[in-house]
Amino acid sequence: MIRQIALAGALAGSMVLPAFAAQEETASDPVTSFTLDNGMQVVVIEDHRAPVVEHMVWYKIGSADEPVGSSGVAHFLEHLMFKDTDNMKSGELSATVAANGGQDNAFTSYDYTAYFQRVAADRLGLMMKMEADRMTHLRLTEDDIATERDVILEERNMRTDNNPRALFTEQMNAVQYLNHRYGVPVIGWKHEMEELDRADALSFYHTYYAPNNAVLVVAGDVSPDQVKTLANQYYGVIPANKNLPPRIRAQEPPQIAARRLTYKDARVAQPYVSRSYLAPERNHDDQKTAAALYLLAQILGGGQTSYLAQKLQFDSRVAVYSGAFYDGVSLDETTFNVAVVPVDGVSLADAEAALDEALAQFMQDGVDPEQLDRIKLQLRAAQIYERDNVGGIANRYGQALTTSLTVEDVQAWPEVLQSITADDIMAAAAQVLRPEPSVTGWLMRGEAPEGAQVQPVAQLPIQQEVTQ
């Protein structure tokens, strides 16, 4: 199995991806949802063009739900889920998937943990049988714990501790979230990861890995009746956890002062300025604000024709890159991010001043109607193109349903985006782009942290991490 941190929202990706990179299906798409007697929600997305199926189990539990002092246990357990069960040997699930010509993996984020297999449609029952087995029958030894703990520590060493950009992003998140667990990295703090043990993993497993805390998403060449029969056969017999605790998290106090940090590292090849603003997430009872912020990010920094690119890269020529990012699929308040990579010879102070000037000018200029119409047209085209990506569709439903959104919210999202006006976008900008809820960070060259490998690495900003 591949276990790595996927740096979602990287500027490098944003430089080449179109502005419509994250859309949902329309209400007319063949999506069926039902709930098993034990509380497990099931979503079926039909696509009969190829005899392939994506089988995903999403748990409504992520790193932001971990006990204080046990950071990284959600991701640690994700690794351990590939060990022995009552009916399978360690690694047997992945070996079986591979032998059947499929692919499998898992990933952990702040709000969810998910396991998936992509196989021929006639292997769906086998996938459910194996996934249901490890939902309840995981068997862990002390050797498993020691081995996998070393694996995740090495993963942190490779992906975070030896990556100045990742270390900088960790510090940005920690400064943005003083009280909420979004300020703790998904992979965990090293000193707490070193103390994770069998009791930590099993406590997390027995508390949260239950059908009434899970969403099953099946996409591909299947019918709702077929999925319902198989789901009842394999998952429906698993008892619900009647002691499942409510999902209550510590919330942020009001942010009443702008915050700043500077991170220096000799390995930095490209200094840059990054700023995050605390921003509303996408909510069941309010998707318009999130939609306005999503469009705002595309207008400000969604490519070479964006507002910031025109002002900073082409007019004043102070930057080689500028971008803006917003992902509203989050259980709690998220962030709206902007970043500027200055050209050689331009200081970070001057780059930040140019960014501030450009943002202030945007608040005066407002939204260009032609640009907004162009982005909306791209979004409509993207809906058609993305129907070819069954796995991507399944991911969007899984992410939404584990962060308090509904199937109907997912289906309504494209229409909500199309309904947003220029006034809506400017109102959202005025609400979010304020100094008080912001964190401004400088990533600079300087002395390397003790024990770090001093070798320059090309750096571009990142927004959020998902640990696989």
Side-chain angles (χ1 to χ4, degrees):
M1 298 302 296
I2 297 174
R3 297 288 178 266
Q4 63 181 13
I5 293 179
L7 301 175
L11 288 188
S14 300
M15 294 170 71
V16 297
L17 289 177
F20 43 72
Q23 296 310 302
E24 269 67 41
E25 301 304 290
T26 67
S28 60
D29 287 306
V31 178
T32 303
S33 178
F34 53 88
T35 302
L36 304 184
D37 290 343
N38 58 12
M40 187 177 196
Q41 185 176 4
V42 182
V43 175
V44 183
I45 306 160
E46 294 180 74
D47 185 337
H48 301 289
R49 291 175 294 175
V52 177
V53 66
E54 185 98 0
H55 171 259
M56 308 189 77
V57 173
W58 296 72
Y59 292 96
K60 299 177 184 179
I61 190 72
S63 66
D65 302 291
E66 296 166 338
V68 174
S70 297
S71 65
V73 69
H75 171 241
F76 185 39
L77 177 58
E78 177 216 309
H79 278 242
L80 293 167
M81 286 288 284
F82 293 88
K83 301 299 183 181
D84 288 350
T85 70
D86 284 355
N87 303 298
M88 292 188 295
K89 294 294 184 183
S90 179
E92 183 178 340
L93 187 151
S94 296
T96 301
V97 172
N100 281 275
Q103 298 175 331
D104 79 308
N105 213 323
F107 49 89
T108 304
S109 188
Y110 293 111
D111 296 315
Y112 49 77
T113 307
Y115 302 83
F116 70 90
Q117 301 88 35
R118 184 175 302 163
V119 294
D122 62 359
R123 299 294 189 270
L124 177 59
L126 178 60
M127 297 303 103
M128 287 194 185
K129 179 181 179 180
M130 292 190 296
E131 196 66 75
D133 182 42
R134 66 176 173 178
M135 181 184 284
T136 55
H137 298 142
L138 185 64
R139 294 292 176 262
L140 299 178
T141 67
E142 292 296 343
D143 285 344
D144 292 332
I145 297 299
T147 300
E148 218 55 43
R149 188 171 52 218
D150 287 343
V151 170
I152 63 170
L153 286 167
E154 180 57 25
E155 181 178 334
R156 179 178 170 91
N157 180 58
M158 292 177 59
R159 304 289 179 177
T160 304
D161 295 333
N162 284 305
N163 185 337
R165 179 183 64 190
L167 291 170
F168 175 60
T169 301
E170 274 192 350
Q171 295 303 307
M172 288 284 292
N173 289 340
V175 173
Q176 181 77 78
Y177 294 99
L178 299 183
N179 197 46
H180 195 284
R181 296 286 288 180
Y182 287 166
V184 177
V186 172
I187 199 168
W189 299 118
K190 182 177 180 180
H191 67 283
E192 293 184 351
M193 294 166 66
E194 291 171 338
E195 301 299 321
L196 293 174
D197 58 22
R198 184 171 178 271
D200 293 326
L202 288 177
S203 175
F204 204 77
Y205 174 71
H206 291 306
T207 301
Y208 298 110
Y209 277 51
N212 53 322
N213 198 42
V215 178
L216 170 64
V217 180
V218 180
D221 189 19
V222 293
S223 69
D225 288 343
Q226 174 193 5
V227 173
K228 189 169 188 177
T229 298
L230 291 172
N232 274 311
Q233 179 181 350
Y234 293 111
Y235 294 113
V237 296
I238 302 173
N241 179 4
K242 296 181 180 179
N243 297 315
L244 182 69
R247 204 171 191 187
I248 299 174
R249 294 171 169 179
Q251 298 298 304
E252 282 295 290
Q255 293 196 7
I256 59 175
R259 302 165 187 168
R260 302 187 62 87
L261 71 91
T262 299
Y263 180 72
K264 296 181 179 181
D265 195 310
R267 300 165 295 177
V268 173
Q270 179 63 73
Y272 64 85
V273 178
S274 179
R275 179 178 296 154
S276 60
Y277 298 88
L278 200 64
E281 73 279 14
R282 190 171 143 195
N283 285 312
H284 169 60
D285 57 352
D286 177 19
Q287 293 202 94
K288 290 195 66 173
T289 301
L293 289 171
Y294 178 82
L295 291 171
L296 174 64
Q298 302 309 315
I299 291 168
L300 283 178
Q304 295 300 298
T305 60
S306 67
Y307 190 89
L308 292 179
Q310 291 298 312
K311 293 293 184 183
L312 303 178
Q313 295 172 235
F314 301 112
D315 292 348
S316 63
R317 298 187 179 182
V318 299
V320 295
Y321 181 75
S322 58
F325 316 95
Y326 172 77
D327 182 2
V329 183
S330 175
L331 188 62
D332 297 314
E333 279 193 302
T334 183
T335 56
F336 186 99
N337 297 66
V338 293
V340 178
V341 181
V343 301
D344 288 341
V346 173
S347 69
L348 293 183
D350 287 342
E352 182 183 343
L355 171 64
D356 288 336
E357 182 179 349
L359 291 175
Q361 188 63 49
F362 172 76
M363 296 305 295
Q364 293 183 22
D365 294 343
V367 174
D368 179 351
E370 292 185 1
Q371 183 187 18
L372 179 58
D373 288 343
R374 184 171 62 251
I375 290 173
K376 287 185 176 181
L377 178 62
Q378 292 173 329
L379 293 173
R380 291 194 294 272
Q383 286 179 247
I384 298 173
Y385 300 146
E386 290 174 354
R387 289 174 183 168
D388 292 332
N389 184 357
V390 174
I393 297 170
N395 267 280
R396 289 193 290 277
Y397 278 92
Q399 291 173 10
L401 295 170
T402 51
T403 54
S404 295
L405 296 172
T406 66
V407 169
E408 292 73 24
D409 292 330
V410 175
Q411 294 174 331
W413 179 246
E415 293 183 7
V416 174
L417 284 168
Q418 295 297 324
S419 73
I420 298 301
T421 66
D423 287 343
D424 294 330
I425 294 170
M426 295 309 298
Q431 176 185 351
V432 171
L433 302 182
R434 300 179 296 110
E436 291 79 13
S438 73
V439 177
T440 302
W442 290 5
L443 179 63
M444 307 175 65
R445 297 188 186 97
E447 293 187 6
E450 183 178 352
Q453 298 176 3
V454 183
Q455 181 177 356
V457 179
Q459 301 295 332
L460 283 173
I462 59 176
Q463 182 183 4
Q464 185 179 0
E465 65 179 22
V466 176
T467 301
Q468 292 188 312

